[in-house]
Amino acid sequence: MEFGPIFRALLNNRTRFWLIIVEVALTLAIVVNCTSIFLEKRRSFNSPTGMDVENILVINTEPFGEDFAVQDFVKDVGESDLARLRSRPSIINATPIHHIPLSGSGSSTGRKAAGSELDTVGISYFSVDEHGIETLGVELIDGRNFNQAEIGRRSDGGNEDMPRNVIVTKAFAERVFPDGNVVGSQISNGDDEYTATVIGVIDLMSNCWPRSSIGKHTMLQPSAAGDSREMNYLVRAEPGAIDTLYTELEELMISLETDRVVRVRTLSEIKLGYYSRTLMAMKIWAAVIVLMIIVTSLGIVGLTSFSVTQRTREIGTRRALGATRSAILRYFLIENWLITGIGLAIGTALTILLNYVLAEYAAAPKIDWILLVGGAAVLWAAGLLSALIPALRAITVTPEIATRSV
Amino acid sequence: MFAYQLRLAFKSLRRNPVLSALMVVAIGLGIAVSTASVTIYHIYSSNPIPHKSDVLFHVEIDNWHPDRPFDSDHPERAPFQLSYRDVRALMQSQIPTYQTAAFRTELMVFPDGDEQRPFREIVRMCFSDFFLMFDVPFQYGHGWDDAADHAPEPVIVINSRTNLRLFGGANSVGRSLKIQDRYFTIIGVLAEWRPTPKHYDPTVNAFGEPEAIYMPFNFTPVFEITNYGNTWSWMSEPIDSHEEYLQSEILWIQMWVQLDDETQKQAYQDFLDAYVLEQKKQGRLSRPLNNRLLDVMATLEEREVVPDSTKSQLVVSLLFLVVCAINLIGILLGKFLSRAPEIGVRRALGASRRSVFIQHLIECEVIGVLGGSLGLALSVMVLNAINRMLSNGEQLHLDLTMVGAGLLLSLVAGLIAGIYPSWRICHVAPAVHLKMQ
């Protein structure tokens, strides 16, 4: 092989090759880091929520009529709303709810195993009735659902004497009760002043802040419609029925009770809103990755073309001295292969350095080694392809060119 | 001479239009990506009220669990909202030039006539000083006065968007508007006002639009309202009425004061410390004394309004520009050196190295500026696309500083890319190339 002459030639044309090397190295560092950030964002967006997000509608009602100052009236409206919603054939089930999952706003508190000396663990809670589990589409894996008797209204004051029962997610249960035996156990706030009994465990449910560290610590507590004037309902539609329902529900709710503002949204829409920044960032990172590879490839085409042009007479001479076309092609490809290789080696160090900087100052994720290897492979291939175009031009150089201008 | 060199540069660019376009596009992409990220960073980290950001102070009292700091990652920090009872007491102070407690809520608005249905609107409850200390601009009318604060009188200020929605943009001062169960008189209409970041309350949606309606703070107990935003509490206390809520240790109100000099600031700090020590005697506020006055920029920094991803984007996009510039070096080197025979003739005819160097550098800067203009146009498109994607009403725009920064970046990129190739070409030995022809 011609490594010797190629290497010596490299040393004679240092500038040009250093340019490619630096470009390849920087590109590797940027592409690998961007891909790593991109993948992390995509993982966060695609992570399972445990809920039937695609088929859930969120209805928000804000009453303004004076009747709504009367507690019993609010309660009646709530009950009739839910009865009408549940009786609609395209609706699987409906529940009152205070906060909206995946929305970015809600309530959280701290809970621990009752009597435990450990610190409380953050958990976000939702108030639903006995239809909550089916409406959310979450899976109860242990214990039981709320029953109708447990659903009381906070504002009745009647709840004070009733046992406080809650359903929690597996993620929270495993943190607080590492030994198992969750159902029937008591949880409490930090001062042990407030305790509640866990009656059921659901497999998975994202709360209001799915991106946060406690994004899957969720608690359901029983509550009926009409606890407060402002009422939110979740509605789970039969598959395929959500679009029709989406357009019909506002009118239905207002026809049931005029003096209120009704807003209907899909849970998917709410999720997109919560993730809008993430999605935007994903697009930017993807664009940067693609642009980087294109720009670098064009750069390699440009620099190799230049080197072919400059060495036209050299090539002619070699051809005249008996080098075959494939030898010329091989020469340029090996040259490129070597340069890209050096660039990638330096690039690996740069990638780790850049990742360190980004992790330190901008909380970027640590890089997976697979990504680095993959990125290097892609760039190596892109480099060879880019060199191929000018190299194919080089082999068309005929021996007489070498002698023509002398 | 400069005009002549400029003409030469354009002539040279026209000679190989494909290559020239490639160079312009390459540098343009780099400028587009980096100007967009620099703009985003610039907007996120900017000072929304530069002329008084160092005399406006956010008031913080360390009202939290005796054994635990509010923020375990930053134990020196205090909660950045106050309880209603502390706010009431602090507002009695005569020391600050201006002072306001404030929070964000939502109330029901009933437009006159039947065409518009009632709607909920975002309202800021605040004191009259709010408009004065934050230099809030008015299109019509003005803010309310101390008397309206105390009574409270049913007056409101609305922003220009609300004025457009309800009154078609006409001067609505003196008109009345029903909010909740009573009529309010509109006393002022704001001009376009959009502090970015929203310095007076960066806790929720720091880059969103300011509130639509401003109402005297003392309607809080009247309407029995609480805030729409963050509410913190470290102890559990039974709360059965709004009155008990107002007397509780729940933290939900922000407070700002204007302190114009060091003496005034010290006096206010002493006042705060004395108040907290007094409360300690009554068994409240048992954490170590930690009363903080943070100016606007310190507040924004602690609230971490600049997202981490913005910082990574800034670093990466500047590196991207570097790669684009390196690319340009390669292409320029090829282009210039292939012109060596021509330069040889010019040198032999008496052109100095200096003038050859400058001529080529000018050509590089022409490419840089063309690329920069393309890049600025592209970055406007990028920012518009981003604005459409953000759901929270954020608006990112290029301002003049950023256009200048973009052009400067492109000049620097052109210079960096141009120096080496121009230096190489001006060192061409005339004799070699003359001989070859």
Side-chain angles (χ1 to χ4, degrees), chain B residues 6 37 73 102 117 165 174 236 250 347 359 362 397 412 422:
Chain B
L6 214 55
S37 353
D73 293 336
R117 282 184 60 81
R165 174 177 185 179
S236 36
I250 294 173
R347 292 270 287 117
Q359 181 210 324
I362 285 179
H397 291 297
V412 171
S422 307

Side-chain angles (χ1 to χ4, degrees), chain B residues 206-396:
Chain B
F207 300 95
E209 208 191 11
E211 291 75 11
I213 297 174
Y214 301 80
M215 182 182 282
F217 186 88
N218 286 349
F219 277 102
T220 305
V222 178
F223 286 143
E224 302 196 346
I225 42 182
T226 58
N227 68 329
Y228 265 55
N230 295 313
T231 301
W232 301 308
S233 160
W234 56 271
M235 61 184 286
S236 36
E237 32 190 346
I239 290 164
D240 290 323
S241 66
H242 190 257
E243 208 183 320
E244 286 179 13
Y245 191 88
L246 297 185
Q247 285 311 308
S248 72
E249 299 289 3
I250 294 173
L251 311 178
W252 55 292
I253 300 172
Q254 296 130 22
M255 183 158 172
W256 286 90
V257 292
Q258 178 172 332
L259 305 167
D260 290 315
D261 55 44
E262 230 13 77
T263 335
Q264 201 182 6
K265 188 180 171 197
Q266 192 53 52
Y268 193 75
Q269 181 77 51
D270 293 344
F271 160 77
L272 272 182
D273 292 350
Y275 169 73
V276 171
L277 289 173
E278 179 59 37
Q279 292 295 308
K280 278 176 180 292
K281 285 184 197 150
Q282 298 175 27
R284 290 185 65 224
L285 309 178
S286 38
R287 284 190 66 73
L289 197 63
N290 181 22
N291 299 318
R292 309 174 82 217
L293 292 171
L294 292 179
D295 68 17
V296 172
M297 292 317 279
T299 307
L300 293 176
E301 192 170 320
E302 282 205 0
R303 239 40 102 245
E304 289 163 10
V305 296
V306 182
D308 282 336
S309 65
T310 309
K311 294 180 203 158
S312 342
Q313 271 160 19
L314 184 69
V315 173
V316 166
S317 54
L318 290 175
L319 283 178
F320 180 65
L321 182 62
V322 169
V323 170
C324 290
I326 292 177
N327 234 323
L328 196 58
I329 299 180
I331 302 177
L332 285 171
L333 203 59
K335 187 180 159 82
F336 287 179
L337 288 184
S338 68
R339 209 192 284 161
E342 177 197 328
I343 300 305
V345 174
R346 285 196 56 203
R347 292 270 287 117
L349 291 177
S352 68
R353 274 199 179 146
R354 211 178 100 92
S355 72
V356 171
F357 180 74
I358 289 177
Q359 181 210 324
H360 285 91
L361 211 52
I362 285 179
E363 186 173 337
C364 300
E365 290 296 10
V366 167
I367 295 167
V369 170
L370 286 178
S373 318
L374 175 74
L376 283 175
L378 282 176
S379 67
V380 169
M381 284 163 61
V382 170
L383 291 174
N384 282 340
I386 291 174
N387 285 337
R388 272 198 304 279
M389 273 190 275
L390 288 172
S391 61
N392 56 1
E394 269 178 44
Q395 289 297 314
L396 305 169

